[in-house]
Amino acid sequence: MKFKPVKTAVIGAGMISGIYLENLKNRFSIIDLVGVSDLVDAKAQAQAEKYGIRKMTNEEILSDPEIELVLNLTYASAHYEVSKSILEAGKHCYSEKMMCLTLEEAAELDRIRREKNVMFTVAPDTFLGSSQQSSRYYIDMGIIGKPLHADIALSRGYFMLKSDADDAYRKYSVVREGGGIPYDMGGYYLHQLFNLFGPARRVCGFCDTHAANRPYLNPRHSSFEENFFVNTPNRICASMKFDNDITASMYISSEHKVTENSFKIYGTEGNIEIGDPNDFDGKITLSLPSGTSELPLTHPFASNSRGVGAAEMAWSLRLGRKSRLTYEMSYHALELIEAVRDCTSDMFVKELKTDFERPAPISRDAYGGDCEERSLYL
Ligand SMILES: NC(=O)c1ccc[n+]([C@@H]2O[C@H](COP(=O)([O-])OP(=O)(O)OC[C@H]3O[C@@H](n4cnc5c(N)ncnc54)[C@H](O)[C@@H]3O)[C@@H](O)[C@H]2O)c1
């Protein structure tokens, strides 16, 4: 190969590490995957054996002068400390989302990456995938005329514990800051919005948790049916304004039994519906006055390509060009969620002064037939 592959290691050998290791090892020639570590040695050992790489400790990864790029695939509450150690070791870092839990932590990571002159980017990288790049291609070519509005909704069930044994996850990921849905699925939807329209300029909305005190529902969990406190917002409803008069509304919530999602862009000439931005191959449906049709995917990475963001970083490193994944874009997502939280707590909203009585429902007693009008009498 003309370009020297970038020696890469992974910290965190949990659930999502499999697809990353698979792709980094076998799919991207620009990556030379050498090792994996985890707090739980056995997890790192198992993944190292499976993918024919070295089981390492965090310290071994950070002190290896040959390793240039390290992926932080730990859970959200560990992101800050682990990314910080990677950056301080002078290595480029790709972290799973979200970057960290607070803007102060993000600012500190920014300071270190600048001081060390290394790249620091954050998932999701799904916006580089086929469906999201194809939809951008169609919208940029004007297939729906001028885009005016994006409407996003995601409902899903409560983000439950991963396993009974994973106490760290129980303590920090779900209950504490950073474990709620805005910081998890929110990242995918926001990154696709940014991919389509650039940075949001203004935002307002509400961010809260429907029922903060709730019982553990997993019968296999030692605290089954005991209550715990969800100290992180678990639903977000945001209104955004982008450049060029584009608006977006986004509702993302993990307080529902039904899992459903939609991502629709309304243009002056037509509308486009794209799939879940968590996926690489979502369907794209175009609606024009003449009818509705499915559009073909035009771009690569239609299969599960997690790790494509790290490959993108590696290519940008070797080619001396800017990476499509940037610290700034991830920070923008974090900033947006924080801004909505501020709106909620500081009431940066117009309070409506008038009130009215909700109309009484129509009676069901006179359903259908000739006597329908009776329902107005009741
Ligand atoms: N699981 C998914 O479907 C999925 C999908 C996309 C993204 N993600 C993201 O990927 C990240 C990891 O998720 P996961 O599901 O694999 O979590 P996980 O809990 O299964 O794995 C995280 C691993 O990190 C290890 N770890 C924690 N702190 C560490 C440290 N300081 N040093 C070394 N290892 C450490 C843990 O021991 C654990 O094995 C999260 O940010 C999550 O949001 C997960």
Side-chain angles (χ1 to χ4, degrees), residues 31 81 89 103 112 169 175 182 216 223 265 270 279 303 314 319 334 352 356:
I31 299 279
E81 287 300 337
L103 293 180
I112 303 169
Y169 196 85
V175 183
Y216 283 107
S223 308
I265 298 115
D279 297 332
S303 60
L319 294 171
L334 204 56
L352 300 185
F356 68 92

Tab-separated table of all heavy atoms in Angstrom, residues 31 81 89 103 112 169 175 182 216 223 265 270 279 303 314 319 334 352 356:
chain	number	residue	atom	x	y	z
A	31	ILE	N	-6.143	1.198	8.191
A	31	ILE	CA	-6.007	0.927	9.632
A	31	ILE	C	-5.209	-0.357	9.840
A	31	ILE	O	-5.478	-1.375	9.208
A	31	ILE	CB	-7.405	0.734	10.282
A	31	ILE	CG1	-8.266	1.992	10.150
A	31	ILE	CG2	-7.284	0.290	11.738
A	31	ILE	CD1	-8.008	3.083	11.147
A	81	GLU	N	-12.455	10.481	31.078
A	81	GLU	CA	-11.162	10.081	31.636
A	81	GLU	C	-10.323	9.334	30.602
A	81	GLU	O	-9.124	9.569	30.468
A	81	GLU	CB	-11.358	9.191	32.884
A	81	GLU	CG	-11.841	9.936	34.115
A	81	GLU	CD	-10.887	11.047	34.581
A	81	GLU	OE1	-9.683	10.977	34.244
A	81	GLU	OE2	-11.347	11.989	35.249
A	89	ALA	N	-1.490	11.320	26.069
A	89	ALA	CA	-0.394	10.462	25.589
A	89	ALA	C	0.045	10.881	24.181
A	89	ALA	O	0.928	10.256	23.587
A	89	ALA	CB	-0.842	8.998	25.595
A	103	LEU	N	-20.047	20.391	29.404
A	103	LEU	CA	-19.316	21.282	28.499
A	103	LEU	C	-17.948	21.626	29.086
A	103	LEU	O	-16.993	21.877	28.336
A	103	LEU	CB	-20.124	22.561	28.257
A	103	LEU	CG	-21.428	22.387	27.474
A	103	LEU	CD1	-22.131	23.718	27.288
A	103	LEU	CD2	-21.185	21.741	26.112
A	112	ILE	N	-6.570	20.055	25.648
A	112	ILE	CA	-5.492	19.058	25.557
A	112	ILE	C	-5.212	18.688	24.098
A	112	ILE	O	-4.061	18.573	23.681
A	112	ILE	CB	-5.838	17.790	26.375
A	112	ILE	CG1	-6.104	18.163	27.830
A	112	ILE	CG2	-4.704	16.771	26.298
A	112	ILE	CD1	-6.698	17.046	28.671
A	169	TYR	N	-22.120	0.096	34.970
A	169	TYR	CA	-23.125	0.597	34.030
A	169	TYR	C	-24.359	1.046	34.796
A	169	TYR	O	-24.923	2.103	34.559
A	169	TYR	CB	-23.476	-0.501	33.022
A	169	TYR	CG	-24.192	0.066	31.840
A	169	TYR	CD1	-23.485	0.602	30.780
A	169	TYR	CD2	-25.580	0.131	31.812
A	169	TYR	CE1	-24.134	1.173	29.711
A	169	TYR	CE2	-26.234	0.699	30.748
A	169	TYR	CZ	-25.509	1.211	29.692
A	169	TYR	OH	-26.165	1.781	28.647
A	175	VAL	N	-28.306	5.941	35.433
A	175	VAL	CA	-28.836	6.804	36.470
A	175	VAL	C	-28.239	8.207	36.376
A	175	VAL	O	-28.911	9.198	36.562
A	175	VAL	CB	-28.552	6.203	37.859
A	175	VAL	CG1	-29.170	7.050	38.942
A	175	VAL	CG2	-29.092	4.792	37.915
A	182	PRO	N	-31.211	11.599	24.983
A	182	PRO	CA	-30.688	12.693	24.165
A	182	PRO	C	-29.203	12.510	23.869
A	182	PRO	O	-28.731	12.842	22.788
A	182	PRO	CB	-30.918	13.942	25.027
A	182	PRO	CG	-32.022	13.574	25.939
A	182	PRO	CD	-31.850	12.102	26.213
A	216	TYR	N	-36.397	-1.076	38.875
A	216	TYR	CA	-35.694	-1.958	37.944
A	216	TYR	C	-36.689	-3.001	37.444
A	216	TYR	O	-37.415	-3.608	38.223
A	216	TYR	CB	-34.547	-2.692	38.654
A	216	TYR	CG	-33.349	-1.816	38.876
A	216	TYR	CD1	-33.021	-1.349	40.141
A	216	TYR	CD2	-32.524	-1.472	37.806
A	216	TYR	CE1	-31.921	-0.541	40.350
A	216	TYR	CE2	-31.420	-0.663	38.010
A	216	TYR	CZ	-31.125	-0.199	39.274
A	216	TYR	OH	-30.039	0.595	39.458
A	223	SER	N	-31.618	-5.819	42.122
A	223	SER	CA	-32.489	-4.773	42.680
A	223	SER	C	-33.866	-4.781	42.028
A	223	SER	O	-34.564	-3.762	42.034
A	223	SER	CB	-31.853	-3.402	42.468
A	223	SER	OG	-30.548	-3.380	42.936
A	265	ILE	N	-37.866	15.331	5.584
A	265	ILE	CA	-37.459	16.679	5.191
A	265	ILE	C	-38.465	17.201	4.182
A	265	ILE	O	-38.761	16.543	3.177
A	265	ILE	CB	-36.037	16.685	4.594
A	265	ILE	CG1	-35.044	16.200	5.658
A	265	ILE	CG2	-35.637	18.091	4.144
A	265	ILE	CD1	-34.386	14.947	5.318
A	270	GLY	N	-41.083	18.982	-2.944
A	270	GLY	CA	-41.396	17.613	-2.537
A	270	GLY	C	-40.808	17.324	-1.160
A	270	GLY	O	-40.168	18.190	-0.557
A	279	ASP	N	-28.745	3.703	11.392
A	279	ASP	CA	-28.461	2.643	10.417
A	279	ASP	C	-27.660	3.183	9.231
A	279	ASP	O	-27.608	4.390	9.005
A	279	ASP	CB	-29.760	2.042	9.878
A	279	ASP	CG	-30.566	1.381	10.981
A	279	ASP	OD1	-29.947	0.920	11.963
A	279	ASP	OD2	-31.802	1.342	10.865
A	303	SER	N	-23.604	-1.395	4.392
A	303	SER	CA	-23.676	-2.408	5.459
A	303	SER	C	-23.150	-1.769	6.750
A	303	SER	O	-22.670	-0.633	6.737
A	303	SER	CB	-22.849	-3.625	5.092
A	303	SER	OG	-21.507	-3.236	4.924
A	314	ALA	N	-8.045	8.324	9.788
A	314	ALA	CA	-6.741	7.789	9.369
A	314	ALA	C	-6.392	8.300	7.970
A	314	ALA	O	-5.249	8.700	7.707
A	314	ALA	CB	-6.771	6.262	9.413
A	319	LEU	N	-3.397	11.801	4.296
A	319	LEU	CA	-3.508	12.678	3.120
A	319	LEU	C	-3.288	14.147	3.482
A	319	LEU	O	-3.236	15.006	2.603
A	319	LEU	CB	-4.897	12.528	2.472
A	319	LEU	CG	-5.178	11.156	1.850
A	319	LEU	CD1	-6.648	11.043	1.451
A	319	LEU	CD2	-4.277	10.929	0.628
A	334	LEU	N	-23.479	18.428	21.641
A	334	LEU	CA	-23.523	18.534	23.101
A	334	LEU	C	-24.065	19.904	23.515
A	334	LEU	O	-24.916	20.020	24.401
A	334	LEU	CB	-22.088	18.362	23.632
A	334	LEU	CG	-21.863	17.887	25.049
A	334	LEU	CD1	-22.564	16.573	25.303
A	334	LEU	CD2	-20.362	17.736	25.309
A	352	LEU	N	-47.493	31.857	27.830
A	352	LEU	CA	-48.747	32.360	27.281
A	352	LEU	C	-49.643	32.816	28.434
A	352	LEU	O	-49.724	32.131	29.464
A	352	LEU	CB	-49.426	31.281	26.433
A	352	LEU	CG	-48.592	30.804	25.239
A	352	LEU	CD1	-49.387	29.820	24.393
A	352	LEU	CD2	-48.133	31.976	24.372
A	356	PHE	N	-57.838	28.631	28.481
A	356	PHE	CA	-59.180	28.277	28.020
A	356	PHE	C	-59.506	26.882	28.524
A	356	PHE	O	-58.612	26.124	28.914
A	356	PHE	CB	-59.280	28.343	26.482
A	356	PHE	CG	-58.469	27.294	25.772
A	356	PHE	CD1	-59.036	26.080	25.435
A	356	PHE	CD2	-57.140	27.529	25.456
A	356	PHE	CE1	-58.293	25.102	24.795
A	356	PHE	CE2	-56.386	26.561	24.823
A	356	PHE	CZ	-56.958	25.350	24.486
